[in-house]
Amino acid sequence: MIKKVQASEVRLGMYIHEICGNWLEYPFWRKSFKLNQQKDLDKLVSCGLDEIWIDTCKGLDVADGQKISVENPQSVKLINTDIPGQPVKKTVARIAVEEELNTAKKIQQKAKEAVTLMFSEVRMGKALEIEGAESLVEEINQSMERNPNALLTLIRLKNVNEYTYMHSVAVCMLMVALGRQLGLDAAQIKQAGTAGLLHDIGKMVIPNEVLNKPGQLTDEEFVIMKSHPERGWEILKSCYQVHETALDVCLHHHERVDGKGYPKKLSGDALTLFARMGAVCDVYDAISSDRCYKPAWSPAESIRKMASWKDGHFDETVFQAFVKTIGIYPSGTLLKLKSGRLGVVMEQSTKKLTTPIIKTFFSTRANAHILVEILDLSKGTDGIEKIEDPVQWGFDINKIQGI
Ligand code: C2E
Ligand code: FE
């Protein structure tokens, strides 16, 4: 039985069904889990929550003391591909994000040129050539090994006119970052990145007036638009160099785990890990970018929106790994600190998602710019009060971040 209990009544052995409130605000990765460890109980207590939902069929009730041995199925459910629990082990020393930015910019530019050329040729009816795509993905992977935040910061830089190309580059980078987070091996990361780069190639055979229509599509136009995964699959299938993973992600990146996606309405185990990854990376980059038909949501807002969508849209484990990859406060988020200072998120902490590394530059108390300082919030000298809207403050976040 699912029941709501006072946070003060929670104890080890209970099965936490849901934390009342937005799970993104609390330092737990799973929405539901068996409370077995004292450190998790301490964490729950320190969150200052009032109430928590527990499942008495899977763990202890408030009143009883009996042990329940049912393991938490939600935390380990899903996927027909093994997901190793540990992120990729680093073999290269991590460098500061500022140090990696220049190299990352060059890689992004190179990727943009490659995708533009590849996609334009397909648009003109020529055969697809993916020469160089894999070595590009390898460069992306190496940059992420040095510091993933540089490329993850740059994916925000897009011009609405080149959206389809830059979106492909961004999804490629997000797939690599997510693959690393999920602990995939080098070959799988390469496949995931290449698949991201090619996932929307089918849009190249969609008439321009539909693809770049500045407003909402009619039902007929949306039917045409929704043919892009299958059209893309046909293009990729005719190219002998394309790996099965790219075909799979291209065809299935608009499927949903609840079977309400398209084109095949696949659900559950019928969807591979790569297709599930593609769905999350595609939607995140779409909604956090300006498109011809819709303005962008901020990165932090995009994550919150995706987290609020009903179960069944995304694979929960993949989505949670994705949040871990880009953060609850993604790079570029403007934050007001408890000290009254404003700062921009520069990179994620390797320790905790709730304590990113930020660049402070403004005092709301003095209403004036202050000496720029890089602050690691995990050190505990200051804390986050709330997210601020840079447009309302009139700040150019890209300039502050130096990108
Ligand atoms: P896209 O713009 O790259 O968006 C990819 C996917 O992100 C969408 O797939 C959808 O799942 C998600 N998404 C994008 N914006 C929103 C949003 O505001 N709310 C929610 N909940 N999800 C969002 P979808 O809908 O199957 O669309 C596929 C492609 O069709 C889009 O790729 C875009 O190229 C085109 N498209 C969709 N709707 C429109 C439209 O109204 N006008 C135009 N011009 N194109 C559209
Ligand atoms: Fe698509």
Side-chain angles (χ1 to χ4, degrees), residues 288-357:
S288 60
S289 306
D290 282 322
R291 282 150 301 150
C292 59
Y293 64 99
K294 208 176 267 174
W297 285 316
S298 75
E301 206 177 353
S302 302
I303 283 290
R304 275 164 178 71
K305 292 257 193 226
M306 288 169 77
S308 74
W309 293 342
K310 281 191 222 82
D311 284 352
H313 198 122
F314 302 114
D315 178 301
E316 201 178 308
T317 300
V318 171
F319 177 66
Q320 289 175 16
F322 183 77
V323 179
K324 216 167 171 178
T325 308
I326 65 157
I328 293 172
Y329 305 106
S331 167
T333 304
L334 182 65
L335 295 174
K336 183 175 176 195
L337 302 183
K338 291 187 177 135
S339 63
R341 288 179 291 179
L342 292 183
V344 175
V345 176
M346 296 299 288
E347 56 182 313
Q348 301 304 311
S349 159
T350 49
K351 300 182 192 105
K352 254 164 96 187
L353 279 173
T354 45
T355 56
I357 297 166

Side-chain angles (χ1 to χ4, degrees), residues 55 98 140 169 214 310 334 343 365 385:
D55 186 342
E98 290 88 348
I140 290 168
V169 172
K310 281 191 222 82
L334 182 65
R365 292 185 186 153
E385 191 179 299

Side-chain angles (χ1 to χ4, degrees), residues 12 47 62-63 83 89 91 104 114 121 156 168 170 173 179 194 201 204 222 229 240 278 311 320 338 352 365 385:
L12 291 179
C47 284
V62 179
I83 297 184
K89 291 253 179 325
T91 50
E121 303 234 292
R156 240 183 31 244
S168 302
M173 291 170 180
T194 311
I201 189 116
M204 288 302 103
F222 202 36
Y240 72 98
D311 284 352
Q320 289 175 16
K338 291 187 177 135
K352 254 164 96 187
R365 292 185 186 153
E385 191 179 299

Side-chain angles (χ1 to χ4, degrees), residues 200 228 253-254 282:
D200 259 349
H228 78 274
H253 67 277
H254 285 291
D282 175 41

Side-chain angles (χ1 to χ4, degrees), residues 5-26:
V5 299
Q6 295 298 310
S8 55
E9 295 172 301
V10 173
R11 62 210 165 89
L12 291 179
M14 284 182 171
Y15 185 90
I16 307 300
H17 177 70
E18 197 171 338
I19 292 169
C20 302
N22 184 344
W23 67 267
L24 281 180
E25 305 298 338
Y26 304 109

